[in-house]
Amino acid sequence: MAKVLNRKTILVTGGAGFIGSNFIRHELESYDDVVIVNLDKLTYAGNLENLKDIEKKYGLASLNLKPKTQDLRPDLRYFFVKGDICDRNLADSLLSGKYFKDKEVGQGTHDARLMTPDSIVNFAAESHVDRSILDAVPFIDTNIKGTQVLLEAARIHWQDLGSGTRDMVPNVFLHISTDEVYGSLGKTGEFTETSPLLPNSPYSASKAAADLLCRSYYKAYNLPIILTRSSNNYGPYQFPEKLIPLMIKNALERKELPVYGEGLNVRDWLYVEDNCRAIDLVLRKGNIGEIYNIGGENEIENIKVVKLICKILGEKAAGDSRLDELIKFINDPRGKAHDFRYALDCSKIKKDLGWKPVSKFEEGLRETIDWYLSNRNWVKKVVTGEYQEYYKKIYT
Ligand code: NAD
Ligand code: DAU
């Protein structure tokens, strides 16, 4: 039986990370009938700083405050829950609505039913390839076991609701996956959604395992699953361990710019806002049981990315036209696990849902650099002692 609600309540996991926080902002700013419950463990990669404006505009400072019913405004549409996706009790409590009833939030304008998620968008993951090579354990725990916990909780709480066709299914479990599950390409070719899964790092192996679990829950239980697999995202709020923000940060600090190997590996860069639009479209209109590739149509070698960052920063802020002298080619810490090239055939999402990426790489990179220049305090705040330890392990 379909629930009749005039609001859409989405459980976003990993919403305090890079793509998740951009997605939450996108949803709340685009629709006034969306309620977001953000479940995040706040690992080193998750920062409430990423959502400070959102918390202020749409959220309670903290659910622990037990707000009075009369304080609950209809524009209160963002709720943060600190927790682990591996915690089955918490997942059950959120999906049954018990969590909000117990917190005494679900009253008045905020009927607890309205805060019981009808969809899940699962971003939560350990997401950095280099870290997975240092220690695979957290990747197995969060990316595989955590996904299975969410799938199982959804299966139990949504069991009466699915009937197969999109119009009849109020619930969607949208799992966010990656092009890395397909493995590596040579200089030519593109992956389609039916390409074999050939992951090469513990990170991508854990993501591929989660994808297969999702598939099995769709086949075995008719759980309304959809998957997206996107290429490399870039944009505001990306943690400075990934190539683009790391190079911006180091260049601004006049530190070495460490390029793995000869810098000839190719990535297809997708502006995060383009990805958020695609995820939103898939959530609302995607076909149940399907996988959608999402690429940026911006393939470029790493060394060219780094040189472009140096050029733009030189023009904009650093007042230094020789930033590229900071480039240092280092032994590749990924070894054979370093995928040479990714490229996605995105004809399915274009044809079925009418999506296409709009950001050109240099434009998006300029916007990203502007954001990092205006948010230097954000970088200072998110980089902790743990980051310094990690940096030493990889780069010295
Ligand atoms: P991120 O590392 O920036 O953020 C991950 C978030 O998940 C953090 O907020 C972290 O605190 C949270 N988290 C980690 N373990 C958790 C747990 N056990 N329970 C609850 N929360 C937990 O990652 P991102 O770059 O935003 O990537 C988001 C998703 O998109 C991931 O699933 C990743 O595999 C996928 N993806 C990323 C890219 C990319 O280029 N960044 C591309 C394709 C797919
Ligand atoms: O393709 C999608 C994937 O993109 C996501 O699934 C991952 O979560 C995300 O982290 C990203 O993975 P990559 O490994 O491609 O991204 P990263 O920014 O870490 O590296 C991009 C390229 O730059 C890669 O070829 C390695 C190289 N590199 C990276 C760093 C951090 C360097 O040369 N030097 C560096 O210091």
Side-chain angles (χ1 to χ4, degrees):
M1 191 187 67
K3 278 194 284 187
V4 183
L5 295 178
N6 55 5
R7 284 184 162 197
K8 182 162 187 58
T9 305
I10 309 171
L11 176 64
V12 173
T13 69
F18 164 47
I19 309 176
S21 61
N22 278 283
F23 178 73
I24 289 174
R25 187 170 290 101
H26 175 92
E27 288 299 295
L28 290 171
E29 297 282 318
S30 307
Y31 305 98
D32 54 19
D33 60 350
V34 159
V35 176
I36 301 280
V37 178
N38 174 14
L39 169 63
D40 199 295
K41 186 179 171 185
L42 299 183
T43 67
Y44 75 91
N47 288 289
L48 290 180
E49 281 294 315
N50 299 5
L51 289 159
K52 235 171 137 182
D53 56 325
I54 293 296
E55 178 69 61
K56 209 167 157 194
K57 194 163 169 192
Y58 300 105
L60 292 167
S62 155
L63 274 181
N64 295 329
L65 290 179
K66 287 201 178 177
K68 294 192 192 99
T69 307
Q70 61 266 32
D71 295 337
L72 291 172
R73 307 179 318 256
D75 56 341
L76 191 62
R77 298 194 285 124
Y78 170 73
F79 300 91
F80 175 70
V81 179
K82 184 172 187 297
D84 192 328
I85 59 165
C86 299
D87 180 343
R88 177 62 197 275
N89 289 335
L90 179 56
D92 281 337
S93 169
L94 283 165
L95 290 186
S96 67
K98 184 174 180 306
Y99 184 88
F100 288 104
K101 274 187 207 131
D102 288 355
K103 292 273 179 194
E104 295 175 23
V105 177
Q107 293 169 24
T109 37
H110 280 69
D111 182 323
R113 269 188 343 138
L114 294 178
M115 278 126 77
T116 306
D118 42 82
S119 299
I120 299 175
V121 184
N122 184 29
F123 291 97
E126 289 292 335
S127 68
H128 194 36
V129 173
D130 297 305
R131 286 182 189 258
S132 79
I133 294 169
L134 288 175
D135 179 10
V137 173
F139 290 75
I140 308 305
D141 287 344
T142 289
N143 301 4
I144 305 177
K145 290 188 198 159
T147 301
Q148 196 269 338
V149 165
L150 294 175
L151 288 167
E152 191 57 25
R155 174 173 93 86
I156 298 303
H157 294 285
W158 294 353
Q159 60 188 345
D160 298 331
L161 297 165
S163 75
T165 66
R166 184 62 212 252
D167 291 347
M168 298 295 291
V169 180
N171 306 92
V172 174
F173 189 116
L174 173 48
H175 179 71
I176 305 298
S177 185
T178 167
D179 59 0
E180 299 206 10
V181 296
Y182 299 121
S184 183
L185 285 169
K187 289 201 166 157
T188 58
E190 287 181 333
F191 296 119
T192 69
E193 288 84 354
T194 55
S195 296
L197 302 190
L198 289 170
N200 292 313
S201 71
Y203 162 69
S204 49
S206 68
K207 293 296 289 185
D211 287 13
L212 295 179
L213 278 170
C214 287
R215 176 187 159 87
S216 76
Y217 270 71
Y218 169 64
K219 295 279 181 185
Y221 308 113
N222 203 23
L223 197 71
I225 306 270
I226 313 181
L227 260 71
T228 63
R229 291 184 180 143
S230 86
S231 60
N232 286 61
N233 284 224
Y234 69 107
Y237 301 100
Q238 188 167 30
F239 191 76
E241 65 184 350
K242 306 283 165 64
L243 180 74
I244 289 179
L246 185 126
M247 295 298 159
I248 297 172
K249 176 178 180 293
N250 281 13
L252 287 173
E253 294 169 3
R254 300 294 194 279
K255 285 193 183 145
E256 278 175 359
L257 307 178
V259 173
Y260 299 172
E262 295 175 73
L264 299 178
N265 302 62
V266 175
R267 296 293 181 265
D268 169 23
W269 293 96
L270 171 67
Y271 198 57
V272 66
E273 184 58 26
D274 277 334
N275 192 20
C276 290
R277 271 194 308 109
I279 293 168
D280 176 64
L281 206 55
V282 170
L283 180 64
R284 285 161 192 276
K285 303 213 168 110
N287 289 316
I288 302 297
E290 294 296 324
I291 298 168
Y292 294 94
N293 283 348
I294 307 170
E297 298 179 348
N298 285 306
E299 277 189 55
I300 174 165
E301 285 172 357
N302 293 340
I303 185 64
K304 291 188 179 151
V305 174
V306 178
K307 286 191 171 162
L308 191 55
I309 292 173
C310 292
K311 178 175 155 262
I312 299 172
L313 265 181
E315 288 164 20
K316 276 188 190 284
D320 188 340
S321 56
R322 291 162 307 150
L323 286 177
D324 53 7
E325 287 174 10
L326 295 169
I327 293 174
K328 186 176 178 208
F329 294 96
I330 65 167
N331 278 340
D332 193 337
R334 298 186 185 183
K336 283 189 294 206
H338 195 173
D339 294 331
F340 173 66
R341 173 174 165 262
Y342 308 124
L344 292 173
D345 175 337
C346 298
S347 45
K348 180 169 168 179
I349 189 169
K350 286 182 178 166
K351 186 167 159 285
D352 292 1
L353 304 181
W355 174 89
K356 63 172 192 216
V358 295
S359 288
K360 297 281 161 269
F361 185 60
E362 183 161 345
E363 257 166 50
L365 190 58
R366 281 180 185 276
E367 278 174 34
T368 304
I369 288 175
D370 282 343
W371 188 86
Y372 279 90
L373 286 173
S374 317
N375 290 279
R376 288 192 187 204
N377 268 340
W378 177 87
V379 176
K380 273 196 204 128
K381 280 186 184 154
V382 301
V383 171
T384 59
E386 191 276 347
Y387 177 85
Q388 315 298 343
E389 286 304 307
Y390 161 77
Y391 199 90
K392 270 190 232 148
K393 279 190 201 148
I394 292 283
Y395 297 104
T396 49

